[in-house]
Structures are given as C-alpha cells and as structure tokens.
Amino acid sequence: VCVCMGVCMKVCQETQKHTPLDHHKLIILQLSVITHSSRHERVASNSVILGKLSLNLTRATPGMAARLHGVIADMLPRSTLLELSLENMNTLRLRPQQDPERGRLLAGLLQLAPGTALVLDETALAPGRLDQTGMSNLQALHALVQAQTVEFVLPYSSLVFNADVPVLVASEGRSMLPVDVHVPLQVSAQTSIPTLPPALLWQLRTYLHSLRSGVFAIPPPMTQIIEADFVRLRQESPSLSGQALHTMLAVARLFAITRGEPDLTEQTWRDTLALEAARLARLAAVDAET
C-alpha cells in the first residue's frame, strides 16, 4: 500500500512538472482514471452496487472524449470509446441478440469484459430523430449506466446479465444518461493531455491495477459521523436525496482506496464532503450562467 501511494504522489508531481495542466484540470483527469479503475460490487439482492460512480464531464469540446480515452487506454488494460452520433445510435447493435435464422448469438458493443472502461462521446450527437434501433440502444445505455446490466435479446424473451463497466460521458450540456456525478470543465479545444514517461506510466498502471483489489470498510464510529453529517445536510438542503448520500459514499470509497486506507477515516470523509460541496457550487455557478 505504501509503495502504491508513493507511486501516486510521484505521478502527480511528475505530471504537474511536465504538463501545462492546472490543478483543477489535473484533478479532473485523475478522477476520470481512478473512477475507471474501481471495481463494482453488488450486495444483498443486487439492488445496491458498491463502487458505481458514472462520471459526466460537461462543457466538453469535440475531440475531448477521444483525447481522454487515449489517456485512459494508456493506463488501463481494457477500454473502449463509443461516439453517440445519430448514425451510430440508429445503426449499431449495442445489445447482444440472437439471430433466429442462423441460430447464433450476435455480439453487442456493450458486451464488454469486466473492468472495461467505457468512454461515451455525446458531443458527436447532432439534432435528429432516433428510430426504433436508436431508442433500443438508448435504453441499453440507460440500463448499463444506471443499473450496470446488459440485456441479451432473444426471439421471445430476454436475459439480463450484471456488468462491471465504469462509464465516463463527455458532453456539452448535462448528459441524457442517468449518470451519478456531473462535473463542469473549464477547458478549451486546445487543452493538452499529459504524456508521461514510459517508466512512470508503467508504475501508474501497476498502481491503478491494485485499486481494483482494494479493501474498504466503514467502521461503526464513522457510520455515526456519516449519519449525523447527512442529517445536518438534509436540514440545510431538504431536497438532498438518498442518492446523494450514495454518491458521497462512492467518492469516499475511492478516496480511501487511493490513499491505501482499508477503513474510512474521518479526514477522508471530510475531504469527500469538501469536494462534493465544491462540485455542487461549480454546478450552481454554471446553471446561473445559462
């Protein structure tokens, strides 16, 4: 754990040294990669998915999704980029389905290996109409982002399988998909993406790989602190939902695992609350501008 944390700090320092990214952009990049290296876990009746944190980077410019995917592909073993253009939505097969004439299953683009990082480019979507195939594909994306499931379509029925596919959506406005977290960017089409030295890149791959096997637990004393903080937040903002608490816990889990903490600490929880407050303030500022 100590070695992994040392590698993480070294990567951050080297990235800041060799690239023109400011601190905000670097944090966004790190969150994008870390989110796509976290393992999803289902508990109880599969209704709760621990570690699921789909991320929507808004105010993205055309081509940014491809550049982000290039970084993620360099760091993670499995990743794919899907442009959500009108043509792709109306023609591609996202769900696996059986061909009754040939009696075999036709693969779908969302039929991905566990841990595959999926980057969706909504900036490619132009005004137009989705046909029946397009609507079916949109429903398939909704199911994957919201419930981490993929439906296999059969002639007279369907089978639903669980998935473990972290999703990152790049869009101009808020995504049409039910993502967990929206983060507005402050970048331009000329924003550069860092290129890391090969040796440092290898260390980072090792570090990110270790995150998928990271252990995480919430000690009983921390449960009481979280409950008290959530009650306080609900009093300050009555519209705060249970989903907001799930999102904060997912972010806290990422923070703890990346810091090598098997148990959630109060400091990490406070850092999580501060980050979420900053994100909500940025969203409010963006909404006020529109």
Side-chain angles (χ1 to χ4, degrees):
V1 169
C2 293
V3 171
C4 287
M5 290 308 299
V7 170
C8 182
M9 293 302 296
K10 182 178 179 182
V11 167
C12 294
Q13 293 169 358
E14 290 295 322
T15 303
Q16 289 175 316
K17 183 190 302 183
H18 296 292
T19 66
L21 292 178
D22 60 24
H23 181 68
H24 166 71
K25 297 169 187 175
L26 182 60
I27 289 294
I28 293 298
L29 182 60
Q30 291 170 339
L31 276 178
S32 301
V33 176
I34 290 172
T35 298
H36 280 71
S37 57
S38 177
R39 184 182 73 253
H40 298 159
E41 298 177 1
R42 295 176 184 268
V43 298
S45 60
N46 289 346
S47 59
V48 178
I49 309 173
L50 299 179
K52 184 181 83 72
L53 191 69
S54 52
L55 183 64
N56 176 209
L57 302 182
T58 63
R59 288 190 164 185
T61 54
M64 183 176 295
R67 298 201 299 275
L68 279 172
H69 174 254
V71 175
I72 293 172
D74 282 341
M75 298 180 184
L76 301 180
R78 296 178 298 276
S79 66
T80 186
L81 171 67
L82 178 59
E83 292 187 357
L84 301 186
S85 65
L86 191 64
E87 179 181 1
N88 284 346
M89 291 292 290
N90 287 337
T91 59
L92 295 180
R93 182 174 57 252
L94 300 190
R95 289 169 167 156
Q97 63 183 46
Q98 187 177 21
D99 183 350
E101 296 182 358
R102 290 180 285 181
R104 66 187 184 91
L105 187 68
L106 302 177
L109 292 180
L110 297 185
Q111 190 179 349
L112 300 169
T116 301
L118 175 61
V119 179
L120 301 176
D121 183 7
E122 273 192 32
T123 65
L125 186 61
R129 181 178 180 180
L130 293 177
D131 58 19
Q132 184 176 357
T133 299
M135 291 302 299
S136 176
N137 284 335
L138 182 59
Q139 292 172 357
L141 289 170
H142 267 257
L144 179 63
V145 173
Q146 189 170 50
Q148 280 293 301
T149 58
V150 175
E151 181 183 26
F152 284 51
V153 181
L154 305 177
Y156 303 105
S157 63
S158 62
L159 297 174
V160 177
F161 290 86
N162 293 335
D164 179 8
V165 179
V167 179
L168 169 68
V169 185
S171 59
E172 295 181 6
R174 294 200 184 192
S175 173
M176 61 182 174
L177 300 172
V179 296
D180 296 310
V181 176
H182 302 273
V183 180
L185 297 176
Q186 290 182 333
V187 294
S188 65
Q190 289 74 38
T191 298
S192 60
I193 298 296
T195 300
L196 301 179
L200 191 60
L201 188 59
W202 180 84
Q203 290 179 315
L204 180 57
R205 288 169 182 160
T206 302
Y207 167 72
L208 292 176
H209 177 73
S210 71
L211 297 184
R212 291 190 61 81
S213 57
V215 178
F216 174 76
I218 302 178
M222 279 305 306
T223 300
Q224 298 175 3
I225 292 175
I226 292 171
E227 290 178 353
D229 284 337
F230 187 62
V231 170
R232 174 180 56 81
L233 292 173
R234 284 291 298 269
Q235 292 173 343
E236 296 173 356
S237 178
S239 62
L240 197 66
S241 65
Q243 179 59 38
L245 176 61
H246 174 80
T247 297
M248 288 186 285
L249 289 175
V251 174
R253 177 178 181 269
L254 283 175
F255 262 139
I257 291 176
T258 56
R259 292 174 172 179
E261 299 172 354
D263 295 329
L264 180 62
T265 64
E266 185 172 358
Q267 182 59 54
T268 295
W269 174 246
R270 297 300 173 205
D271 291 343
T272 299
L273 294 181
L275 179 65
E276 181 65 3
R279 183 184 71 86
L280 293 177
R282 181 174 293 279
L283 277 175
V286 170
D287 292 341
E289 294 175 3
T290 58

